[in-house]
Amino acid sequence: MFRRLRPVALVALALAVVGLVLPSAAPVALAGGGLVTVMDATYDVMPEEARVHVTVDAESTSFERDAPEGPVYYAGLSMSIPAGSSNIAATAAGEPLPVTITPGTDETRLDIGFSEQVLLGDSYAYQLMFDMVDLGGASNRDFRIGHSVVAFPVWAFGSPDADGSSVAVLLPPTFTPAVYGGPLVETTADDGSIHLTADTSNLPSWFAYVTAERPGIFTATPFSVALGPDDATGQVHAWDDDPEWGARTVDLMLQGLPALYQLIGLDWPVVGDLRVEESANRLGDYAGIYNRLTEKINVRYDADATVTLHEAAHVWFNNDLFRDRWIGEAWAEFYAVQSADVIGVGGETFELTDDLLAAQIPLNDWEGIGAENRDVEAFAYAASFHLAELIFERTDIDGLRAVWRAAEDGEMAYQPIHGTAAPEQGVAFSSEDWQRLLDLLEERTAATYDDLWTTWVVDPTENIMVGERAEARELYQSVVAAAGTWELPSTIRLNMGSWQFDAASAQLDTADRVLDLAANLDLLADDLGLEPPDQLRAAFEGSAGLEAALTEANKELFALELIADATHGLAAEQDPIEQIGLLFSEPTVALDAAETAWEAGDHGEATDQAEAVLTTLAEADDRGRERVAVGGGILLVTLGGTALLVRRRRRDRNDDGAAIETPSDGPTDFPTDEPAD
């Protein structure tokens, strides 16, 4: 996590000295020139004594011309050193010099008297010594000197317009320093001690803040806390000279991990113990880092509670859940802030300012740690958190939990609409995590977020993809609505989640054609009192492909249209010749067989039987004429008497939907050649 620490007072730590001018006789006006002082300050860091011993070797030279009334000399000077400094002493040639000390809130003023008069052209050498002592206190104090870590400001001294002043910082062996401001040049002495040096001639603009750490002697404190079905166990490793940090961090784990677990809604993912370790400048520009491979959190000694909770949230939000850096940082920060509020702790949060917006990049372009400059890095952290807040405004904690569970379980973004079984799984290799997150958000929270992606996430090329997605989703949703209780085939849903929109759109067009045919089938079947079979739905929802479903629909519709034609043909009134032609045939039996076969899904048999009916009807006139001719023109049908059974028997249904055949009004027997009794 990018550095977000309590600001240190890095004001201009280079403080000018002012000469005390004493004339030889009555006071006179200075003619210009003044006292020029060059000072070499050495900061000797003594961790075991919790102090920094400062030695300032100084030389003051007078450039002040004598006045007509007499010579002008300098009898001393005034300067400032860090507030709280102690053991203050000044010497010249081994002899003590008088020092008047005036303590202040921000600095301590010293008035140093010279042991001799410094006249025009004279140079006066002397030495100042004082200690900067660590009085203890909170772990995040600005001044800290211990055997594990040191942190302190470095002041430079001398006249602002004088060349030759310098500072040097001496660190014991095994310390690793980091400098903010400066610069300071690092060298290693023969004895292993670290020397940091700088020319501070440009005094008004020079400042530095030094931190350094060495391999710490840690005190480990175990912790264990129940998180649902699991126990989160771990150890907090604090420097042995910083028990306050250890106690505070253990308390954060005991309170913060349950809060994070409840908010995020995912199981505890750490195998074994989580290690939380106190750190300093090894983190570079970052206040904390979580390593998912070692399951270790490093947090700076001066980081606030939100930083620690941010790193704890990375236990869930890391490359295992989503690979894109901005996603992990956005939600680690979001849940750090949320959990901090739950348990009543505080800390600074990222704020997206106008200055940061000047460094804006698409968040998808945010590269790895150390690859961006500080401005871009700061923008990306703040913008990703801002985006998480904007997303949260459109959903709630439960909605986000559903998204994280789907991501954790590898669920397909587009699920069956009516499915009650376990969610279908499958993550396409062709889609990036920023695409998958957008799909999961919109499919699990019933809100839209693509405008946020356009504003914050994608580059111009990716923005075109977002537009193509919007068009495909509109088509997808219209086909879902048209499908009613039917489910779209998984291949469509997989292509949608893979952002293969050309393939998905082609499949959706085919699906729409199938659904149109299915609607026509339903209408026609309803008119005929028939129940559509399940084959078309099974083909539509199945894995054989929509072309197979289209073929099935066309075959079913073809057979049903033949049945409709046969039904209408039988229901039509036949003339006497046609009635004679239909004698001794049973077209209604064939029609019943056609309907039964169609409802059973045997459209081949249904087609054959319906075509047989139509053939019989088509040949009725010819056969009737042949029979009339053979019978010598004797009319075998008594008009208004016995009627041929050519009317369609009505098919009703009982309460269970089963077909019930009810004869129509009128005779139901064909005439025979046998004489009546």
Side-chain angles (χ1 to χ4, degrees):
M1 179 181 179
F2 196 64
R3 183 175 303 280
R4 186 185 53 195
L5 306 178
R6 205 162 48 82
V8 178
L10 294 179
V11 296
L13 301 180
L15 300 177
V17 296
V18 179
L20 300 176
V21 182
L22 297 178
S24 58
V28 296
L30 299 181
L35 186 72
V36 176
T37 301
V38 174
M39 292 184 164
D40 298 319
T42 300
Y43 292 75
D44 190 2
V45 181
M46 300 178 177
E48 306 308 323
E49 300 178 25
R51 68 187 178 105
V52 177
H53 181 68
V54 183
T55 302
V56 181
D57 293 309
E59 184 176 76
S60 296
T61 301
S62 175
F63 291 89
E64 191 65 44
R65 297 183 179 278
D66 292 337
E69 297 85 348
V72 176
Y73 63 89
Y74 285 90
L77 57 73
S78 296
M79 63 180 294
S80 296
I81 61 175
S85 297
S86 60
N87 301 323
I88 301 168
T91 62
E95 296 297 324
L97 297 177
V99 180
T100 301
I101 302 171
T102 306
T105 302
D106 298 321
E107 60 186 40
T108 294
R109 175 185 171 92
L110 304 181
D111 294 317
I112 303 174
F114 294 158
S115 59
E116 60 186 58
Q117 300 174 352
V118 180
L119 297 164
L120 176 64
D122 290 346
S123 293
Y124 181 72
Y126 51 100
Q127 188 177 70
L128 171 67
M129 293 168 289
F130 59 91
D131 287 331
M132 300 165 62
V133 180
D134 183 0
L135 300 178
S139 297
N140 62 347
R141 58 191 183 274
D142 292 339
F143 183 78
R144 175 172 173 163
I145 308 297
H147 59 252
S148 297
V149 65
V150 298
F152 58 95
V154 178
W155 294 37
F157 308 97
S159 298
D161 53 354
D163 292 334
S165 294
S166 66
V167 296
V169 177
L170 310 180
L171 291 166
T174 72
F175 270 95
T176 301
V179 177
Y180 306 94
L184 289 165
V185 178
E186 179 181 344
T187 58
T188 302
D190 293 339
D191 63 356
S193 61
I194 308 300
H195 294 192
L196 306 173
T197 58
D199 180 351
T200 60
S201 296
N202 188 13
L203 199 66
S205 62
W206 195 92
F207 67 91
Y209 185 81
V210 172
T211 65
E213 68 174 314
R214 59 182 171 184
I217 303 172
F218 290 106
T219 297
T221 304
F223 66 85
S224 178
V225 60
L227 302 182
D230 303 310
D231 287 337
T233 61
Q235 294 182 340
V236 171
H237 289 245
W239 293 318
D240 63 348
D241 60 349
D242 194 3
E244 189 273 344
W245 186 91
R248 179 169 64 93
T249 304
V250 167
D251 189 56
L252 272 177
M253 293 297 103
L254 293 177
Q255 295 187 65
L257 291 179
L260 289 168
Y261 167 76
Q262 290 294 332
L263 289 164
I264 297 169
L266 297 180
D267 291 341
W268 177 244
V270 175
V271 178
D273 283 353
L274 176 69
R275 176 171 175 144
V276 186
E277 186 174 293
E278 187 174 13
S279 301
N281 58 283
R282 280 180 294 157
L283 303 179
D285 286 335
Y286 297 85
I289 290 177
Y290 171 66
N291 188 321
R292 67 185 179 91
L293 300 178
T294 61
E295 296 182 334
K296 177 182 177 182
I297 294 174
N298 287 89
V299 180
R300 276 186 61 98
Y301 68 92
D302 50 358
D304 59 36
T306 304
V307 171
T308 304
L309 292 171
H310 177 109
E311 299 309 322
H314 273 310
V315 169
W316 286 274
F317 289 96
N318 52 64
N319 285 354
D320 289 336
L321 196 63
F322 292 101
R323 295 183 298 274
D324 294 324
R325 185 183 178 194
W326 72 264
I327 299 177
E329 295 301 340
W331 296 106
E333 182 69 1
F334 174 82
Y335 284 110
V337 173
Q338 291 282 323
S339 59
D341 183 62
V342 168
I343 66 177
V345 297
E348 294 184 16
T349 59
F350 293 115
E351 181 182 355
L352 188 60
T353 64
D354 290 340
D355 289 341
L356 292 181
L357 284 169
Q360 181 171 358
I361 62 168
L363 288 174
N364 276 350
D365 292 347
W366 189 14
E367 298 186 20
I369 292 176
E372 305 285 5
N373 63 50
R374 288 183 61 85
D375 290 342
V376 169
E377 194 83 344
F379 162 78
Y381 270 102
S384 59
F385 173 52
H386 179 66
L387 176 56
E389 290 184 305
L390 293 176
I391 292 171
F392 182 59
E393 289 177 0
R394 303 185 185 185
T395 182
D396 54 24
I397 289 296
D398 286 339
L400 292 176
R401 287 195 192 106
V403 171
W404 312 140
R405 283 194 297 269
E408 174 77 9
D409 295 341
E411 295 178 7
M412 292 173 57
Y414 294 84
Q415 291 288 324
I417 301 300
H418 312 290
T420 57
E424 294 182 359
Q425 295 180 324
V427 179
F429 290 106
S430 59
S431 68
E432 299 294 335
D433 281 356
W434 63 269
Q435 298 166 314
R436 177 163 166 74
L437 177 58
L438 177 57
D439 285 344
L440 288 176
L441 281 168
E442 293 197 343
E443 287 298 304
R444 298 300 189 276
T445 69
T448 58
Y449 305 89
D450 52 357
D451 59 314
L452 299 180
W453 259 240
T454 298
T455 303
W456 299 103
V457 177
V458 298
D459 62 26
T461 299
E462 294 162 341
N463 191 36
I464 295 174
M465 299 168 64
V466 174
E468 294 171 344
R469 173 183 179 273
E471 295 177 1
R473 279 180 62 82
E474 184 177 357
L475 177 59
Y476 173 80
Q477 289 160 0
S478 69
V479 176
V480 167
T485 60
W486 291 15
E487 298 290 357
L488 268 61
S490 60
T491 53
I492 290 180
R493 292 183 278 105
L494 183 60
N495 279 328
M496 288 294 295
S498 304
W499 287 48
Q500 303 299 310
F501 299 125
D502 288 343
S505 296
Q507 290 176 313
L508 287 166
D509 288 339
T510 303
D512 203 31
R513 291 167 58 195
V514 174
L515 292 171
D516 283 344
L517 291 172
N520 292 336
L521 280 166
D522 286 343
L523 289 173
L524 186 52
D526 187 63
D527 287 343
L528 296 172
L530 300 180
E531 185 69 25
D534 292 332
Q535 273 85 340
L536 180 54
R537 177 172 183 167
F540 182 84
E541 297 179 343
S543 60
L546 285 167
E547 290 298 331
L550 187 61
T551 299
E552 174 70 21
N554 281 316
K555 288 181 177 180
E556 287 189 14
L557 184 59
F558 178 74
L560 188 60
E561 287 174 340
L562 289 177
I563 292 172
D565 290 344
T567 300
H568 296 150
L570 286 175
E573 184 175 356
Q574 287 87 24
D575 61 29
I577 298 300
E578 289 173 331
Q579 293 179 27
I580 294 171
L582 291 174
L583 285 174
F584 315 117
S585 65
E586 296 182 342
T588 56
V589 174
L591 182 56
D592 286 342
E595 292 174 338
T596 300
W598 190 85
E599 288 185 318
D602 189 351
H603 44 67
E605 176 67 13
T607 297
D608 291 343
Q609 294 291 344
E611 286 179 337
V613 173
L614 292 172
T615 298
T616 298
L617 291 173
E619 295 175 349
D621 184 76
D622 290 341
R623 289 186 179 180
R625 292 180 185 280
E626 290 175 0
R627 287 173 178 171
V628 168
V630 170
I634 298 174
L635 185 61
L636 299 179
V637 179
T638 302
L639 298 178
T642 303
L644 295 176
L645 181 59
V646 296
R647 295 180 183 173
R648 179 73 183 98
R649 285 176 292 176
R650 185 175 70 252
R651 292 167 61 91
D652 296 327
R653 297 189 179 274
N654 62 20
D655 293 339
D656 296 329
I660 302 174
E661 295 186 352
T662 304
S664 59
D665 295 336
T668 59
D669 296 325
F670 286 100
T672 68
D673 294 331
E674 298 179 0
D677 293 336

